[in-house]
Amino acid sequence: MNFIIIINYVFDLFFYPFYTIDPIYGLLAISFITTVIMLPIFKYTSNQESIRRTKAKIIGHFLEIRLFKDDMRIVFSAQGNILKYNLLYLKSMLRPLCFVVWPVMIIMIQTGMRYEYRPLRTGEVSIVKVKIENTKELTGKGSKGFLVSPEGLKIETPPLRVNGGGEEIYWRIKAEKEGVFDLRFQFSGIELKKRVVVSNALSKLAPKVSKEGFMGSFFYAGESLLDKDGCVEFFEVTYPQMKIMLFGWGFHWILIFFTLSLLFSFLLLRPFRVSI
Amino acid sequence: MGEGIMPNFKLLQERGDFMELVTSMPPQSPVAWSNLITGMDPGGHGIFDFIAREPKTYLPYLSTSKTFDAKRTIKLGDWLIPFSRAETLLLRKGKAFWEILEAEGIPSTVIKIPANFPPVKAKSRTLSGMGTPDILGSYGTFSFYTTKEIENEQEITSGKVLNVKFLNDTTKTELMGPINPFKTTQSRVRVGVDIKRDPENHVALIRIGKNEILLNEGEWSDWVNVNFKLAPFQTVTGICRLFLVSVRPDFELYVSPINIDPFSPTVDISTPKSYASEVAKEVGLFYTQGMPEDTKALEQGYLHKDNFLELSGFIKEQRVKMLDMELRRFHSGLLFVYFSTTDPIQHMFWRNIDEHHPAYSFQEASKYSHVIRNTYKDMDRILGKAMNHIKDKTTIMVLSDHGFGSFRRYFNMNTWLKRNGYLNFIHEYKGESGEFFENVDFNRTKAYALGFNGIYINTKGREGTGIVLEGNEREMLLEEIIRKLEVERDPTNGYLIIKKAYKKEDIYSGKYRNDAPDLVIGYNRGYRASWETALGKVPNELLGDNMKEWSGTHLGDNSLVPGIILSNRKIRKEDPALYDIAPTILAEFGIKKEKEMVGNTIF
């Protein structure tokens, strides 16, 4: 768990300068860092010599096809060899990928927490959802579960309980002013909190708090997790999906992240002396 | 203005002038706005009514635009692969005034002007207005979901009513999308709708695609994006708003017509193409549909008057935001913004200010008689806002394309033609004909009415089964019909029904005059052609009381429903008309009017 807390601190520190500027700069920086981390890992966990040799062979067999295009026997044999060396190439990628995938996953989760959604803006509404294991006293008529909002957030609807004693309760809230607020769900003397961010700036957001556990901790955004033995499975606030604006078009951050990482990889291949 | 509730209009009058503005004949919006846009009369721009007809088949079509399917397609099973684009054409002829301004380098912004869909190709910023369809291709089709017992799904005028049944307070249904152009079956695409309601509280959660909307009873939603999948990698996006009428005992949900999404329009709704999204970025998603005030839903009881007024208010405020947006960057050139609100409000609330209207009720009037008055007060507020932005040197014109009057009694023109022997049935025993002249024997019919103000002579060589010869026979027939029509009286009160019937030759000029109805009917105060007449129906009764919510009209004689014009400049022309506006605008920039224009500058 300490490891996850450290990771969170590192990324908080890294993204701190980018919260108030255009999101594209943060993505540029994180894509560059990802490439810088990924290339050496790839270099030292892969058989560079074998990769170079396999790629050369594939190119060689392509040339063979061009040179001997009139000889069908050679063409078929070259095609077979291209397929074979492609498979070998993929095989040689497996080992480095096993090492690369972990840091990349951590980077993507941390980046996603900042770029997947944007905070609510003043005047915007959001749906709050609490999922409960079958506890009729919370979801049935005369429910004892209440949502309490602080000043700055307004609860606009009464609770909507699905299946009349079912599993989910919904409310609509409205952001009335900027700030970081705690919504509280109270029942039977127990109180659960969910952070709601209302801001025009970039923020680290976790729409959902779930039960304690490895995955819950992974998506930890500084909020208390739910008791793993409790009856509430998750407490969620919907945030608007973030679009990264580029040349007047809105893109999902993953598309920009991969494009930039790929671009940086090609640029840094030679300085890092890596073959991929 | 006389009562002092419109101080800004009064101020404008004091600075310049306030006069009646001669409207088009007939005074229908597409005709009137085409007069204004082109500086011509209908003979020049070719728009004569909301509805035009194919003379060979007698079938009606909407007069301002027409859509043509893709010309080249390949069939693959039930898939249809198009190799060319479907096209929508604007049928209005003649140059729009902003095209002329643009050629002279004058920047123009024209927001929501009617009769400009699809917008004419221009570099100027324009947003299409009345005539712009929803994504179903109709002029606005709403959906209504109800637990009330109905027989199957009902297709009603401009709407669809669907029956839903809740099990454990949950139900699943569908939202109807456009016809899939990639399918040979011409089936509609649909998107799933999941609805959950609370067992006790009056609140419901509606899921449309990925959107979750939580609404209290009696509440409007914000805009909801709806994606319809047509084919792999082919989707069409629309936007709609929801109104939760009631949660229980009966669940009732109104879904507005699905508007074209300004961020990804399926057809052109602006020039340049990016202008629609530019406006949406600035003012938020907006109603792109031509006439978004859903009068049909109100008429049929699916929206209450109060909710209709809320809707109308949203639309007006959106237009105000557009005006604000453009005023902020307006330095020179032309800025035009169309406010539609006064039109549907008067159509729907007139009966509350007319004690002689057959549907007048004191109780209703005591609640709604202020609505029209308040709308004008509000327009005054908007004018005040605009006047504060505008410098003294700038010419301001505020105008309406027509006035209004009461629609007390409807007149079935085709029934009159039948009773007077000009129209005959195939099967006389039926005693009437359905839409599109279903039971009309054109081999024995001399004249027929289609649209709201037109009568066509069944002319040999022009109509599919024409029997009346051009020349003398036609002339004599026209004279006879005019003579009889102009003395036709309402048996219930003795009032003349028709003020005047006009021969097209007498009121139109221009090269499209021959496409006009042979007679254009100017109805008297209180009267109008029936809805049935417009679609070529021949019912049994000749006249009837109009008991509909749609109780105000401007489809009479143009002398009875003139528009108005106010300006901060003195108007020198004695009888300014709509077709004078385009030449006036051109003259303001020192540009000569086009030779086809029949109007003249008013200053």
Side-chain angles (χ1 to χ4, degrees):
Chain A
M1 206 65 80
N2 288 339
F3 164 72
I4 289 166
I5 291 168
I6 292 166
I7 283 176
N8 272 296
Y9 274 121
V10 170
F11 278 90
D12 280 345
L13 220 62
F14 176 83
F15 280 109
Y16 185 75
F18 302 105
Y19 282 162
T20 50
I21 56 173
D22 194 308
I24 192 69
Y25 296 110
L27 281 176
L28 262 167
I30 194 69
S31 307
F32 181 76
I33 295 294
T34 308
T35 312
V36 169
I37 294 169
M38 208 180 66
L39 283 180
I41 297 176
F42 187 89
K43 182 178 177 178
Y44 295 112
T45 55
S46 63
N47 186 338
Q48 288 285 295
E49 183 50 37
S50 163
I51 289 173
R52 272 194 284 273
R53 216 179 320 117
T54 314
K55 276 167 68 180
K57 288 206 169 171
I58 293 169
I59 293 165
H61 287 299
F62 268 115
L63 287 172
E64 196 180 4
I65 291 173
R66 285 199 71 179
L67 286 171
F68 302 101
K69 60 185 172 195
D70 299 329
D71 189 333
M72 291 309 285
R73 196 178 54 84
I74 295 176
V75 169
F76 280 132
S77 143
Q79 281 176 344
N81 281 324
I82 289 169
L83 181 67
K84 179 181 137 190
Y85 285 109
N86 261 306
L87 291 172
L88 282 173
Y89 176 75
L90 288 177
K91 189 186 154 202
S92 59
M93 288 286 144
L94 279 177
R95 196 176 119 89
L97 278 180
C98 288
F99 288 93
V100 163
V101 74
W102 299 106
V104 170
M105 200 169 78
I106 292 169
I107 290 171
M108 285 186 69
I109 287 171
Q110 288 288 336
T111 312
M113 283 164 76
R114 285 144 180 107
Y115 292 93
E116 183 71 31
Y117 302 100
R118 63 162 177 80
L120 294 175
R121 306 256 156 86
T122 311
E124 277 184 341
V125 297
S126 166
I127 291 180
V128 176
K129 196 190 297 181
V130 174
K131 184 163 186 183
I132 304 164
E133 282 158 11
N134 197 15
T135 310
K136 284 199 177 168
E137 64 164 8
L138 284 176
T139 55
K141 286 188 178 183
S143 159
K144 289 172 186 159
F146 297 99
L147 188 71
V148 181
S149 68
E151 198 189 331
L153 293 179
K154 185 183 173 193
I155 301 169
E156 293 196 317
T157 64
L160 180 136
R161 296 149 298 177
V162 172
N163 291 340
E167 298 168 337
E168 288 171 353
I169 316 179
Y170 297 80
W171 294 265
R172 193 181 72 210
I173 57 161
K174 185 175 185 178
E176 292 191 318
K177 62 180 187 185
E178 284 201 16
V180 179
F181 307 98
D182 277 336
L183 269 177
R184 285 168 292 142
F185 177 62
Q186 298 173 338
F187 68 100
S188 307
I190 298 168
E191 184 171 275
L192 303 174
K193 282 183 189 168
K194 173 75 197 84
R195 183 172 297 171
V196 182
V197 183
V198 183
S199 167
N200 281 320
L202 204 66
S203 275
K204 182 179 173 186
L205 300 171
K208 196 186 266 189
V209 279
S210 27
K211 287 188 173 184
E212 286 172 350
F214 183 70
M215 285 316 284
S217 314
F218 229 74
F219 291 95
Y220 172 76
E223 297 186 55
S224 319
L225 294 170
L226 304 177
D227 180 3
K228 65 180 171 194
D229 299 320
C231 65
V232 177
E233 282 187 35
F234 65 76
F235 190 176
E236 185 182 357
V237 171
T238 53
Y239 284 108
Q241 198 93 35
M242 194 195 291
K243 288 243 167 115
I244 313 294
M245 297 310 290
L246 215 55
F247 312 116
W249 294 85
F251 295 95
H252 192 269
W253 72 270
I254 285 187
L255 194 71
I256 294 178
F257 173 77
F258 274 119
T259 311
L260 289 173
S261 301
L262 219 64
L263 203 73
F264 286 130
S265 300
F266 281 116
L267 289 172
L268 297 177
L269 278 180
R270 211 174 268 262
F272 278 73
R273 294 179 187 170
V274 185
S275 280
I276 55 170
Chain B
M1 277 166 66
E3 292 175 27
I5 59 164
M6 297 172 75
N8 293 303
F9 276 70
K10 187 82 185 153
L11 186 66
L12 193 56
Q13 180 190 15
E14 284 163 6
R15 285 184 187 170
D17 227 329
F18 169 44
M19 289 178 82
E20 281 189 357
L21 185 64
V22 177
T23 184
S24 58
M25 188 61 216
Q28 300 185 25
S29 298
V31 187
W33 285 103
S34 299
N35 276 17
L36 182 142
I37 290 169
T38 62
M40 298 192 273
D41 69 37
H45 56 66
I47 306 295
F48 303 97
D49 197 293
F50 275 104
I51 292 163
R53 57 79 169 97
E54 292 286 355
K56 296 294 172 202
T57 58
Y58 304 93
L59 289 176
Y61 60 89
L62 295 166
S63 64
T64 53
S65 65
K66 217 170 188 182
T67 300
F68 300 91
D69 290 337
K71 282 177 191 153
R72 285 176 290 137
T73 53
I74 287 182
K75 273 187 194 174
L76 274 178
D78 64 346
W79 288 98
L80 202 61
I81 318 292
F83 284 93
S84 61
R85 287 188 66 179
E87 259 188 312
T88 305
L89 296 180
L90 175 67
L91 301 180
R92 176 175 49 70
K93 316 292 191 309
K95 269 189 189 170
F97 60 81
W98 58 90
E99 286 182 275
I100 304 164
L101 292 177
E102 189 179 301
E104 298 290 332
I106 311 288
S108 320
T109 303
V110 179
I111 293 178
K112 290 278 182 183
I113 200 164
N116 186 43
F117 173 81
V120 284
K121 283 196 170 65
K123 284 177 191 152
S124 308
R125 292 191 283 250
T126 68
L127 259 190
S128 65
M130 187 190 285
T132 309
D134 60 12
I135 70 160
L136 271 62
S138 73
Y139 277 175
T141 304
F142 66 88
S143 304
F144 193 82
Y145 302 89
T146 178
T147 47
K148 277 185 185 158
E149 277 305 315
I150 50 163
E151 278 182 26
N152 304 320
E153 289 182 352
Q154 281 183 341
E155 291 277 359
I156 50 162
T157 314
S158 301
K160 193 171 175 68
V161 182
L162 293 105
N163 206 202
V164 289
K165 285 192 176 11
F166 278 86
L167 183 68
N168 288 331
D169 287 313
T170 302
T171 188
K172 280 181 192 293
T173 179
E174 287 177 325
L175 183 61
M176 188 174 68
I179 288 174
N180 192 342
F182 296 98
K183 287 278 184 180
T184 52
T185 49
Q186 293 281 295
S187 53
R188 288 196 178 276
V189 273
R190 284 153 202 273
V191 68
V193 178
D194 290 355
I195 304 169
K196 297 172 195 297
R197 64 178 177 185
D198 187 76
E200 212 172 13
N201 300 320
H202 289 234
V203 58
L205 178 78
I206 301 117
R207 253 189 216 123
I208 303 179
K210 287 178 185 169
N211 302 287
E212 282 187 331
I213 309 111
L214 190 54
L215 289 177
N216 286 308
E217 192 172 276
E219 215 176 37
W220 285 91
S221 76
D222 208 347
W223 285 105
V224 179
N225 275 83
V226 192
N227 293 308
F228 293 97
K229 272 200 172 172
L230 303 175
F233 310 112
Q234 288 288 337
T235 55
V236 56
T237 312
I239 53 169
C240 62
R241 294 185 66 191
L242 281 55
F243 179 71
L244 184 58
V245 181
S246 136
V247 174
R248 57 173 36 89
D250 280 307
F251 178 86
E252 290 182 329
L253 174 72
Y254 163 87
V255 179
S256 76
I258 305 167
N259 282 230
I260 293 167
D261 180 359
F263 285 114
S264 58
T266 41
V267 285
D268 291 345
I269 54 168
S270 67
T271 62
K273 279 186 181 181
S274 58
Y275 184 54
S277 60
E278 188 188 334
V279 174
K281 270 179 208 159
E282 187 73 21
V283 310
L285 286 168
F286 60 89
Y287 288 94
T288 51
Q289 186 198 331
M291 195 171 157
E293 290 90 353
D294 202 339
T295 54
K296 294 287 188 295
L298 170 61
E299 184 66 66
Q300 293 166 97
Y302 296 105
L303 268 186
H304 186 270
K305 285 185 184 68
D306 295 337
N307 313 128
F308 176 83
L309 288 172
E310 284 172 355
L311 169 64
S312 176
F314 298 144
I315 297 161
K316 183 180 62 209
E317 289 314 314
Q318 243 174 20
R319 229 41 84 77
V320 174
K321 282 185 188 170
M322 289 178 191
L323 173 70
D324 282 347
M325 168 192 170
E326 288 303 339
L327 278 174
R328 279 198 299 272
R329 60 181 180 183
F330 178 75
H331 299 297
S332 66
L334 174 121
L335 171 60
F336 171 95
V337 181
Y338 171 71
F339 282 85
S340 58
T341 319
T342 49
D343 185 81
I345 288 289
Q346 289 182 91
H347 276 304
M348 307 313 282
F349 289 87
W350 196 275
R351 68 191 210 177
N352 298 301
I353 58 166
D354 176 13
E355 287 180 23
H356 301 292
H357 195 281
Y360 177 84
S361 104
F362 177 76
Q363 206 180 355
E364 191 187 296
S366 56
K367 199 172 171 198
Y368 296 107
S369 60
H370 66 282
V371 169
I372 295 175
R373 188 187 160 91
N374 282 358
T375 305
Y376 276 93
K377 265 169 83 174
D378 216 25
M379 293 314 298
D380 186 76
R381 169 185 65 90
I382 297 164
L383 175 63
K385 213 173 179 189
M387 281 167 74
N388 285 338
H389 271 82
I390 295 168
K391 291 169 194 151
D392 283 347
K393 277 185 182 174
T394 309
T395 302
I396 305 172
M397 283 194 271
V398 177
L399 58 90
S400 68
D401 62 320
H402 52 67
F404 257 88
S406 192
F407 172 21
R408 295 175 189 159
R409 303 261 293 158
Y410 59 82
F411 183 69
N412 285 312
M413 182 58 83
N414 281 314
T415 310
W416 184 88
L417 291 168
K418 169 81 180 79
R419 288 190 185 179
N420 285 273
Y422 301 116
L423 182 145
N424 284 293
F425 290 151
I426 301 166
H427 304 292
E428 287 293 340
Y429 66 90
K430 286 189 178 172
E432 57 182 21
S433 168
E435 279 177 359
F436 315 139
F437 308 106
E438 182 198 9
N439 187 29
V440 172
D441 181 359
F442 280 104
N443 287 308
R444 298 189 298 124
T445 289
K446 288 181 177 174
Y448 60 98
L450 193 76
F452 290 98
N453 293 79
I455 292 180
Y456 296 89
I457 300 298
N458 193 20
T459 310
K460 195 164 188 169
R462 185 183 73 179
E463 259 79 3
T465 331
I467 58 167
V468 179
L469 291 172
E470 281 277 14
N472 225 8
E473 189 184 350
R474 175 182 174 274
E475 276 305 305
M476 284 170 64
L477 179 62
L478 283 174
E479 292 295 342
E480 188 183 309
I481 294 175
I482 291 171
R483 206 169 49 245
K484 286 186 186 173
L485 267 177
E486 287 185 351
V487 295
E488 186 69 38
R489 286 180 186 273
D490 186 338
T492 58
N493 53 27
Y495 291 161
L496 282 170
I497 297 163
I498 312 291
K499 184 158 197 309
K500 196 165 169 52
Y502 304 87
K503 281 197 262 182
K504 67 179 173 189
E505 295 84 357
D506 296 341
I507 53 169
Y508 298 150
S509 57
K511 56 182 175 181
Y512 299 101
R513 185 172 67 179
N514 282 343
D515 299 338
D518 297 281
L519 274 182
V520 184
I521 309 302
Y523 288 90
N524 224 334
R525 275 187 210 289
Y527 294 88
R528 207 202 78 175
S530 63
W531 302 102
E532 286 88 349
T533 301
L535 294 174
K537 228 172 168 181
V538 194
N540 236 328
E541 58 176 356
L542 183 65
L543 281 150
D545 279 340
N546 171 36
M547 301 306 290
K548 291 180 183 279
E549 301 281 352
W550 188 283
S551 51
T553 188
H554 46 85
L555 302 186
D557 191 86
N558 67 343
S559 64
L560 302 175
V561 281
I564 53 115
I565 181 160
L566 291 110
S567 177
N568 55 352
R569 293 190 55 190
K570 193 81 195 150
I571 297 169
R572 310 243 173 252
K573 199 162 184 265
E574 277 182 12
D575 52 349
L578 276 174
Y579 49 54
D580 292 324
I581 303 303
T584 305
I585 292 170
L586 297 181
E588 283 298 286
F589 294 100
I591 303 166
K592 271 190 173 176
K593 68 169 190 168
E594 299 275 300
K595 66 175 189 300
E596 295 84 5
M597 290 181 169
V598 294
N600 290 299
T601 179
I602 62 169
F603 297 130

